[in-house]
Amino acid sequence: MRRHFRNASIIDASGAPPFRGTVTVDGTKIAAVTRSPSEAPIAPGEEVIDCTGFTLLPGLTEAHCHISFNNLTSIYSAVEIQPEDHSLIALSNAQLLLRCGFTSLFSAASAKPRVDVAVRDAINRGLFEGPRIRAAGQEITPTGNLGDLDTNYMTFPRTLRFSVACDGADEFMRAARLAARDGVDTVKVNVSGDRDWGHMHADDTVTVITERELEAVMEVANARKLMVATHCSSSAGVKMCVRQGVPVIFHAPHADSEARDMLESVKDRVFVVPGAGFPISMARRQAEFGLKWPAEKIDALEREIAIFTDCMRDLHKRGVRVLPGGDYGAFITAPMGENARDLEIFVDMFGFTPMEVIVAATRHGADLMQSGHETGQVKAGYCADLVILDGDPLADIRIFQNQDKILGVMKDGRFAKRDAALSGAMADPVRKTA
Ligand SMILES: [Zn+2]
């Protein structure tokens, strides 16, 4: 069936200003984009949806997504969920994000080996409605680093942990091969430490893995055409990632000027995703969720926020593709479904204009998903992954956080959400076709 979204304000994500026109969807694709005052040819029996006052733009990409993190209350709470239940929870999170306007999810790790993969495959087979997913496996981490939950006295089964601890190039290579065997699109590696993680701090000048270990993962991924994404906070870690050709770097707050120069030198093939929503919510929304942390912890978080704000402003100015995606679901203060808060953060804190953050979340997001040739823009021939808003996101970027203002979400030409305001009408059979 052909559908015409008529008289919408169209943000096509090319970066050009919005324009008024009609978007025609035929099956799974955008058949035509017609600028007013020209009229799209409409045949009898085709549906016309009046979009006067509405904005139509491409579906968004969540660039640091954990569909298997279910608003966790502790680092152990993901371990306690049985795998069967976990897959269904993850599917429901993926569907929630689709209804919020995220037609593509780039995973930043799965809490168990094949949760992302199972959800992706079930959606792709048409068993369930859901967004496009680039699936990851567990995080591969050096012993004692972020995600290694074991102690001398207690070890968790390998397949229940969200990270697998490895040491030496051979073990890293084996873990990457196991992830590939599981069917992932992305291998996730923890290159640096993290705040509150023992002696492996986020800002350490050294990396917590060796170059040979990262090289081994890259070798496995490159041979299988998989992507590698790294948890990487430290400056030395960023430099190692650039040297090794890592395409996706998460966090990167402590990148010094040399590391930023290196990122700029590969800006056409690297993506940086700060994951800002999570630490900001921890520092500023704890009371809302009944938490009370000591002032020193809040101060430390605020210092980190200031550091990554400075870094992301600079990387954006340098033309590095910095993408929204913020670890939503990883802790209760940043609930799954509130992911569009990241767009507001980019505008308020990182110096993006509303148009720039929309382009980052759509066109650049599609490039991250490796589907920039067919998604991420409103363009004839592209997949009909669309969002329709009741209002203007350029006037208020927070509109993406208001579910009542998200009138429609379409993926591959099918509505995942359709408000009554988009009811439409069949074209009059006697209507003259142009
Ligand atoms: Zn994460």
Side-chain angles (χ1 to χ4, degrees), residues 298-309:
I298 304 298
D299 291 348
L301 278 164
E302 287 294 349
R303 278 196 300 279
E304 184 183 316
I305 291 165
I307 288 166
F308 71 64
T309 298

Side-chain angles (χ1 to χ4, degrees), residues 10-19 35 355 358-359 363 377 394:
I10 299 167
I11 295 177
D12 65 6
S14 66
F19 57 90
R35 284 178 187 253
M355 181 60 93
I358 287 171
V359 169
R363 180 154 58 87
Q377 295 183 64
L394 303 182

Side-chain angles (χ1 to χ4, degrees), residues 64-66 69 107-109 139 146 188 231 250-251 275 278 325-328 330:
H64 184 121
C65 192
H66 298 282
F69 286 2
S107 177
E139 300 178 6
L146 174 64
K188 168 81 181 283
H231 167 97
F250 294 132
H251 312 303
F278 175 46
D327 258 322
Y328 291 85

Side-chain angles (χ1 to χ4, degrees), residues 42-55:
I42 298 167
E46 295 179 355
E47 191 179 26
V48 180
I49 299 172
D50 180 15
C51 291
T52 305
F54 304 157
T55 303

Side-chain angles (χ1 to χ4, degrees), residues 377-424:
Q377 295 183 64
V378 180
K379 200 170 171 180
Y382 272 48
C383 298
D385 288 12
L386 303 171
V387 173
I388 298 150
L389 301 172
D390 180 12
D392 178 9
L394 303 182
D396 183 4
I397 198 68
R398 289 173 303 179
I399 192 171
F400 289 102
Q401 298 169 45
N402 184 343
Q403 298 311 310
D404 294 337
K405 296 283 185 185
I406 301 175
L407 300 178
V409 180
M410 179 173 259
K411 182 207 154 201
D412 277 331
R414 281 175 62 120
F415 276 112
K417 177 177 183 181
R418 184 176 190 175
D419 188 273
L422 299 179
S423 57

